[in-house]
Amino acid sequence: MRPIVASRCDGDTLPIHRHVSRPMQAGLRAGLIDASVGSIVGGLPFEGPFGIGHEAIAQVTELGGEVTGLGVGDLVVVPWAISCGTCRECRLGITAKCSTMTPTSPGKTLACWGFGPTSGAWGGMVADSLRVPFASHMLVPLPKGVDPLRVAAASDNLTDAWRAVVPPLRQRPGGRVLVLGGGGQSIGLYAAGLAVAHGAEVVDYVDDRTQRLEVAEGFGATVHEVRRSRKSVLPALPGTGYDVVVEASSTSQGLRDALRSLRPGGICTGTGYYLGTGTMLPVMDMYATSSQLNVGVSSVRPHLPELLGWVAETGFEAERVTSLIANWDDAPQAYLERTTKLVLQREALDLTGA
């Protein structure tokens, strides 16, 4: 594979590409950060150098003898987590926890690109080439006519938003949707746009950044600016609660606010990192409302065919979230930019004669 478009995941914006390794080490030693974090990023979190990037559209340059359904030159989405497609977990749809691949990760938690050696010796997607195992299962062809820049984040963030919005809305069609943005910067924005496009009665988007509020409003969401505090990340909102809530503030308080804002039987999906050991949840409130909380790493592979087909059919403008497009060779400088969604690009090769 030769990646031609790569986007910076929300999780890469601060945790990986800022100087957080030593503070995280200290937090793990002091018991302030949940010990399970160490199984993902190791005892020396994000200690470089290592290959970065785990969202990419790539071009097939060479095929193994057992690969079927793909041709040299094809453009494909490469899921962020590596999976076999046949194990128990893959058959259940939790491909990010593939039991074939997880043992190859020294951390025994994730096998994926772009998180460093604890997640396996796979490198990152901001690279000249990738070797993709189980390619017939892993790789999802880009539909004809879909601009790679439109679905640059399909490997992770765009599909993460899809799984947080579309399946819950199918259970509660026409429901009210709340998105708490800011931590998962692009996930929250994609979620707001997807909720509007899938016919939600109300889509309220909450954030503290003007630029993101403008993007959400452009998708058709009703926006609410908030000053975050330990007591609440929510302003006073009208209405009687929400059928679907996407928690993308990545804060413990945001998670509590999200759960308390649900209607009876409502569904909340937490898309962020909750690193602390004291993330308390309003369980009695959830009991009283019969509400549901989904958390966990995103298993994008099962959702990709439907998502990509829907984008091809509807022309959903996911690229509205992209705030900076940079040339591939400028990646070292571009990755340091404090911007919502960075996308790198370079031209595809002419492989018609290959």
Side-chain angles (χ1 to χ4, degrees):
M1 312 298 302
R2 177 181 181 267
I4 62 165
V5 167
S7 59
R8 186 179 64 186
C9 171
D10 293 339
D12 293 352
T13 306
L14 289 177
I16 294 182
H17 303 295
R18 303 290 176 190
H19 301 295
V20 298
S21 182
R22 289 187 178 180
M24 289 188 74
Q25 291 174 44
L28 286 166
R29 288 195 299 268
L32 301 175
I33 294 178
D34 194 287
S36 62
V37 174
S39 71
I40 301 173
V41 296
L44 299 175
F46 303 122
E47 183 176 51
F50 59 83
I52 59 176
H54 60 266
E55 293 184 342
I57 309 297
Q59 186 178 28
V60 177
T61 55
E62 188 176 352
L63 295 170
E66 297 182 4
V67 177
T68 60
L70 296 169
V72 171
D74 287 353
L75 296 182
V76 295
V77 177
V78 189
W80 73 277
I82 300 166
S83 60
C84 71
T86 58
C87 70
R88 175 182 179 274
E89 286 70 22
C90 286
R91 292 196 306 271
L92 289 172
I94 45 176
T95 50
K97 301 303 300 177
C98 172
S99 56
T100 299
M101 295 309 304
T102 301
T104 68
S105 167
K108 301 297 188 293
T109 298
L110 295 176
C112 63
W113 282 280
F115 274 77
T118 308
S119 294
W122 301 100
M125 291 188 183
V126 184
D128 288 331
S129 63
L130 298 174
R131 184 180 71 85
V132 181
F134 306 105
S136 300
H137 153 71
M138 279 279 292
L139 302 175
V140 182
L142 191 68
K144 298 292 185 184
V146 174
D147 187 340
L149 292 173
R150 172 158 286 180
V151 291
S155 298
D156 188 0
N157 290 167
L158 176 58
T159 314
D160 199 3
W162 176 277
R163 62 111 182 190
V165 169
V166 178
L169 270 180
R170 284 183 180 145
Q171 296 181 43
R172 304 174 75 84
R176 296 168 56 87
V177 176
L178 170 65
V179 179
L180 302 181
Q185 299 179 61
S186 72
I187 295 173
L189 293 173
Y190 292 133
L194 289 169
V196 172
H198 281 83
E201 174 193 358
V202 170
V203 180
D204 284 323
Y205 177 85
V206 176
D207 206 329
D208 61 354
R209 291 289 181 88
T210 300
Q211 183 186 44
R212 291 194 295 265
L213 290 164
E214 290 175 349
V215 173
E217 191 170 37
F219 275 129
T222 301
V223 300
H224 308 270
E225 187 170 7
V226 65
R227 291 184 179 180
R228 304 190 186 281
S229 72
R230 292 184 179 180
K231 294 183 178 180
S232 180
V233 300
L234 271 178
L237 296 175
T240 56
Y242 297 90
D243 299 281
V244 177
V245 178
V246 180
E247 202 305 292
S249 76
S250 295
T251 66
S252 299
Q253 186 59 53
L255 197 56
R256 290 188 285 272
D257 287 346
L259 291 167
R260 289 192 174 108
S261 68
L262 289 169
R263 279 178 168 175
I267 302 167
C268 171
T269 300
T271 64
Y273 301 146
Y274 308 99
L275 303 181
T277 56
T279 302
M280 297 181 291
L281 301 179
V283 177
M284 196 63 206
D285 190 279
M286 295 175 65
Y287 175 87
T289 57
S290 299
S291 57
Q292 177 180 322
L293 170 63
N294 299 319
V295 293
V297 294
S298 57
S299 292
V300 306
R301 176 58 185 85
H303 298 288
L304 276 171
E306 183 182 21
L307 164 64
L308 295 172
W310 178 81
V311 170
E313 179 182 350
T314 65
F316 178 70
E317 296 178 345
E319 70 274 17
R320 286 174 176 264
V321 176
T322 301
S323 53
L324 176 63
I325 298 176
N327 291 327
W328 194 270
D329 292 340
D330 294 332
Q333 297 76 34
Y335 249 76
L336 298 177
E337 293 291 333
R338 292 183 178 272
T339 190
T340 296
K341 194 65 177 180
L342 163 70
V343 173
L344 306 172
Q345 69 167 345
R346 61 181 170 184
E347 293 296 321
L349 300 175
D350 182 2
L351 298 175
T352 53

